[in-house]
Amino acid sequence: AKSFTRMSEEMRAQTASLTREIEDRRRIFDTSLDLIVVLDQYDNFVQVSPSSKFILDYAPEELIGRNLAAFVHTQDMDATRTEMRDSRIGRTTRNFETGSVHRSGRLVPLAWNGTWSEGAMQHFLIGRDMTEAKAAAEALRDSERIAEGIITHSIDAIIQVNEWGEVLEWNPQAQIMLGWSRADAVGQSISNLYLPKGY
């Protein structure tokens, strides 16, 4: 049989290990740039990470006890409720996006990853602010539209080829100047198309 002293030492070691694990999780929770929330079974905030102040301009204590519905854009509420319900039924991790309402009234796109704990009867969710990613994607789309407009409306022939000399892009002016349609030119070797069609 183990001595009382040895059992006491093992208990202290286990307690110290558990304390370190709790402190590590608390540090992650407190320093995360993502929004970490715990919701009860009625979708009320139970815990909220300090990042809520930066992302939504609400301090955690302003959110705790309030319902998630007050901070989800009305257009996204039905889909959000469906995701939360499916998480509870399927006990699976869910990934979804919502427009969340900032204190100023603007929408903050949040990409959520969350799961339901039957034992705790709570939702555990991490929300990533997608504002910058969406702005970058829109800027890229704008840039692509501008480039497409330049290529399409250029008074010069613009031809793009890959490293093997195959045509990737053939603008309308190239068609006018060389006589090959875009459909005929794309995918062909540029050496086959260099001379005007019919030569």
Side-chain angles (χ1 to χ4, degrees):
K2 291 184 183 178
S3 71
F4 180 74
T5 304
R6 185 173 169 111
M7 286 175 37
S8 178
E9 288 172 4
E10 287 177 3
M11 287 288 285
R12 271 196 292 272
Q14 289 175 350
T15 301
S17 175
L18 184 57
T19 300
R20 276 192 306 277
E21 186 177 331
I22 290 169
E23 287 172 0
D24 289 346
R25 289 182 182 179
R26 174 52 63 185
R27 270 192 289 280
I28 292 168
F29 185 82
D30 287 345
T31 60
S32 175
L33 296 178
D34 292 332
L35 180 58
I36 302 173
V37 299
V38 178
L39 303 172
D40 66 15
Q41 61 186 333
Y42 305 108
D43 299 337
N44 297 314
F45 291 101
V46 175
Q47 284 184 292
V48 180
S49 64
S51 58
S52 64
K53 184 67 178 160
F54 174 71
I55 294 172
L56 298 175
D57 197 27
Y58 287 99
E61 55 274 10
E62 293 179 275
L63 298 175
I64 292 173
R66 297 183 67 186
N67 194 275
L68 178 67
F71 301 94
V72 173
H73 188 269
T74 52
Q75 271 183 246
D76 296 333
M77 200 59 231
D78 286 342
T80 300
R81 284 192 175 115
T82 298
E83 289 293 340
M84 303 291 266
R85 184 182 61 248
D86 289 351
S87 176
R88 287 181 74 167
I89 293 168
R91 313 279 192 279
T92 59
T93 300
R94 308 299 295 177
N95 298 293
F96 58 100
E97 193 169 305
T98 64
S100 298
V101 183
H102 186 273
R103 183 186 297 274
S104 68
R106 73 177 169 87
L107 289 184
V108 177
L110 290 176
W112 292 99
N113 177 282
T115 190
W116 167 257
S117 169
E118 190 66 27
M121 297 292 286
Q122 293 177 328
H123 291 280
F124 295 86
L125 300 157
I126 300 173
R128 174 149 300 167
D129 184 350
M130 300 302 290
T131 303
E132 288 182 22
K134 286 190 174 291
E138 185 58 34
L140 179 61
R141 281 192 294 276
D142 287 346
S143 176
E144 288 170 347
R145 283 191 291 267
I146 290 168
E148 186 179 312
I150 291 169
I151 290 169
T152 301
H153 298 97
S154 175
I155 59 171
D156 295 318
I158 298 177
I159 302 167
Q160 179 185 10
V161 295
N162 64 19
E163 59 196 64
W164 301 283
E166 296 169 336
V167 175
L168 300 174
E169 187 56 61
W170 187 268
N171 78 336
Q173 194 61 26
Q175 181 174 328
I176 292 167
M177 293 174 78
L178 298 172
W180 298 91
S181 71
R182 184 177 189 285
D184 289 338
V186 171
Q188 297 295 319
S189 171
I190 189 65
S191 61
N192 296 339
L193 304 170
Y194 192 74
L195 294 173
K197 190 172 185 176
Y199 273 76

